[in-house]
């Protein structure tokens, strides 16, 4: 059993305690019935004790007409359906953070921020009180909250299909991301995985980003209901976020560090990695990791992306300096903590050094290209 959630492991499997009473008469599919106490109307029933009999009961979850695969099987506990909140919320595009000390979850999506402390009868949705049909609770390391969180917090419709023992969730997605370069929709975050559909997603088509699946992949949904993964490299979509940029910078820097000590050669060919000059090194790292094709020489590289000031620097930005009598004759990669990864010396080759002294004096501009 997965134990409490933390930001490093995402270890807690969250559960939604659906306020749906399943009875012999609940065989009719439909939306929330008016006055049904199972949905938390006046006189609502309390949450069933979790130490009583629990069963999967053949319960299925569908999201936008497709089965939703979850880490934990749905449970039927004395008439209440329990669903995994992390799987559901992330599939609907929300991001979760857990504060173990206060037993508080924060869910964010776009302009929506939901804050809830387990056990309270209310949550805060964008600062406004949201009354729960039953309080959330923790049992055996799992946090339980009512299913109405899905519909009221994320704007989704949730209905119980008693005939088929299925919870059906219809999302309120916005397809906010645009494909900038034809890209494959894949079944897994791996370039070797199978494609979902035979054709590329064409330039200009729209996507909903469910989550960032690491530094190089986005889990997405398409308007026609398909789910899969597309490359997170900047050339393929217009999706951007600070968290993704940070992950991609880490990948880029880690790859660049594998060349530490590689000899410096002025005018080194960009088609090999046995030697580098400053701009061929930068060119290689950015193209290999992020498919960003930079010009060959530093002067032209300094025209790419957008200019940033020194107090706005972040990992992965390019730093340009005067050198050899040229206004711009050298380039390096800013790797954070006031450090530069670059090459210019036959004695040192590719190496890391502090961004101070001569480098501050010779600094010309910084550019952000992702």
């Amino acid at each position: 059993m997965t134990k409490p959630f933390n930001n490093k492991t995402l270890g807690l499997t969250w559960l939604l305690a659906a306020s749906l009473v399943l009875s012999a008469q609940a065989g009719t599919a439909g939306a929330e019935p008016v006055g049904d106490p199972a949905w938390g109307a006046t006189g609502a029933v309390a949450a069933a004790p979790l130490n009583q009999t629990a069963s999967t009961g053949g319960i299925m979850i569908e999201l936008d007409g497709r089965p939703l695969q979850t880490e934990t099987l749905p449970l039927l506990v004395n008439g209440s359906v329990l669903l995994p909140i992390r799987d559901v919320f992330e599939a609907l595009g929300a991001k979760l953070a857990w504060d173990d000390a206060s037993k508080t979850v924060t869910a964010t999506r776009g302009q929506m921020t939901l804050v809830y402390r387990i056990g309270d009868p209310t949550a805060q949705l964008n600062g406004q009180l949201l009354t729960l049909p039953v309080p959330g609770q923790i049992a055996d390391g799992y946090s339980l909250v009512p299913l109405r969180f899905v519909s009221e917090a994320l704007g989704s419709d949730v209905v119980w299909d008693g005939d088929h023992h299925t919870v059906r969730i219809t999302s309120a997605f916005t397809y906010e991301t645009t494909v900038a370069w034809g890209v494959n929709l894949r079944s897994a975050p791996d370039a070797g995985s199978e494609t979902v559909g035979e054709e590329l997603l064409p330039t200009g088509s729209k996507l909903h980003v469910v989550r960032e699946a690491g530094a190089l992949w986005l889990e997405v949904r398409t308007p026609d209901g398909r789910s899969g993964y597309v490359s997170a490299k900047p050339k393929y979509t217009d999706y951007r976020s600070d968290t993704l940029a940070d992950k991609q910078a880490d990948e880029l820097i880690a790859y660049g560090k594998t060349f530490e000590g590689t000899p410096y050669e002025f005018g080194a060919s960009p088609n090999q990695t046995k030697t580098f000059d400053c701009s061929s090194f930068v060119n290689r790292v950015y193209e290999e990791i992020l498919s960003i094709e930079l010009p060959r020489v530093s002067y032209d590289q300094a025209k790419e992306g957008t200019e940033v000031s020194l107090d706005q620097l972040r990992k992965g930005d390019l730093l340009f300096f005067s050198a050899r009598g040229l206004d711009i004759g050298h380039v390096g990669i800013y790797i954070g903590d006031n450090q530069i990864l670059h090459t210019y010396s036959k004695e040192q080759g590719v190496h890391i050094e502090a961004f101070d002294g001569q480098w501050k004096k010779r600094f010309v501009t910084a550019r952000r290209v992702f």
Side-chain angles (χ1 to χ4, degrees), residues 13-28:
T13 301
W14 289 68
L15 299 178
L16 285 168
S19 51
L20 298 169
V21 172
L22 310 181
S23 64
Q25 290 77 32
T28 303

Side-chain angles (χ1 to χ4, degrees), residues 249 252-253 256-257 278 281-286 294 314-321 330-336 339-343 351-353 355 370:
L252 184 147
I253 292 164
K257 286 181 177 180
C278 64
F281 172 65
V282 166
N283 187 295
R284 165 68 62 166
V285 171
Y286 277 78
L294 294 171
R314 73 182 187 199
K315 291 182 296 184
D317 288 340
L318 293 176
L319 302 175
F320 293 91
F321 307 90
H330 181 64
V331 60
I333 302 170
Y334 184 68
I335 65 172
Q339 300 277 302
I340 313 170
L341 176 63
H342 59 170
T343 184
H351 66 285
I352 296 170
E353 66 180 292
F355 178 30
F370 71 93

Side-chain angles (χ1 to χ4, degrees), residues 16 31-32 39 61-64 68 83 87-94 109 112 125 146-160 167-175 208 221:
L16 285 168
E32 174 180 345
W39 285 88
I61 309 171
E62 285 189 359
L63 176 59
D64 294 330
L68 179 65
L83 307 176
D87 295 317
V88 173
F89 266 49
E90 289 187 347
L92 290 169
R109 188 182 75 176
M112 183 280 293
L125 180 60
L147 179 62
R148 188 172 258 177
F149 261 20
V150 177
S151 58
E152 294 193 18
L154 300 181
S156 302
D157 292 325
V158 183
V159 298
W160 168 247
V167 175
R168 302 190 190 279
I169 304 172
T170 303
S171 66
F173 287 139
T174 56
Y175 295 91
H208 169 68
R221 290 180 65 84

Side-chain angles (χ1 to χ4, degrees), residues 76-321:
L76 177 60
V77 182
N78 282 1
S80 291
V81 180
L82 310 181
L83 307 176
I85 188 177
R86 188 179 77 179
D87 295 317
V88 173
F89 266 49
E90 289 187 347
L92 290 169
K95 297 180 181 179
L96 299 180
W98 171 254
D99 183 340
D100 191 57
S102 63
K103 301 296 184 286
T104 298
V105 61
T106 300
T108 57
R109 188 182 75 176
Q111 300 300 312
M112 183 280 293
T113 299
L114 175 71
V115 180
Y116 178 62
R117 188 170 69 88
I118 301 300
D120 285 354
T122 60
Q124 285 195 359
L125 180 60
N126 289 342
Q128 301 296 314
L129 287 183
L130 173 66
T131 300
L132 280 64
V134 293
Q137 54 187 286
I138 296 177
D140 296 328
Y142 293 98
S143 295
L144 312 178
V145 295
L147 179 62
R148 188 172 258 177
F149 261 20
V150 177
S151 58
E152 294 193 18
L154 300 181
S156 302
D157 292 325
V158 183
V159 298
W160 168 247
D161 181 348
D163 288 339
H164 301 95
H165 272 218
T166 300
V167 175
R168 302 190 190 279
I169 304 172
T170 303
S171 66
F173 287 139
T174 56
Y175 295 91
E176 72 292 334
T177 297
T178 303
V179 174
W181 187 285
V183 64
N184 281 308
L185 181 64
R186 296 196 175 273
S187 59
D190 184 338
S193 65
E194 295 182 356
T195 58
V196 180
E198 297 180 357
E199 298 180 353
L200 293 174
L201 298 176
T203 300
S205 57
K206 305 296 285 187
L207 299 171
H208 169 68
V209 175
V210 175
R211 66 185 180 95
E212 297 165 3
L216 302 177
W217 294 93
L218 301 172
E219 184 179 356
V220 301
R221 290 180 65 84
T222 64
D224 61 4
R226 289 181 292 166
S227 296
Y229 298 84
V230 299
S231 174
K233 295 179 179 182
K235 71 180 289 183
Y236 293 107
T237 74
D238 65 356
Y239 178 85
R240 303 290 185 270
S241 79
D242 290 340
T243 57
L244 181 63
D246 191 64
K247 295 173 189 174
Q248 291 181 337
D250 286 341
E251 289 284 324
L252 184 147
I253 292 164
Y255 178 68
K257 286 181 177 180
T258 65
F259 294 109
E260 283 190 87
T262 299
Y264 173 83
E265 178 189 7
F266 181 76
S269 169
N271 299 319
Q272 50 83 45
T273 59
K274 293 181 180 179
T275 61
F276 293 111
D277 63 15
C278 64
S279 53
S280 72
F281 172 65
V282 166
N283 187 295
R284 165 68 62 166
V285 171
Y286 277 78
E287 183 171 6
E288 188 69 23
I289 298 302
L290 297 179
S291 298
I292 294 174
E293 299 178 5
L294 294 171
R296 172 62 184 85
V297 299
S298 59
Y299 177 81
D300 291 326
Q301 290 174 353
K303 301 173 184 178
E304 298 295 306
T306 58
E307 186 172 18
V308 292
S309 61
L310 288 180
D311 60 359
Q312 295 175 322
L313 282 179
R314 73 182 187 199
K315 291 182 296 184
D317 288 340
L318 293 176
L319 302 175
F320 293 91
F321 307 90

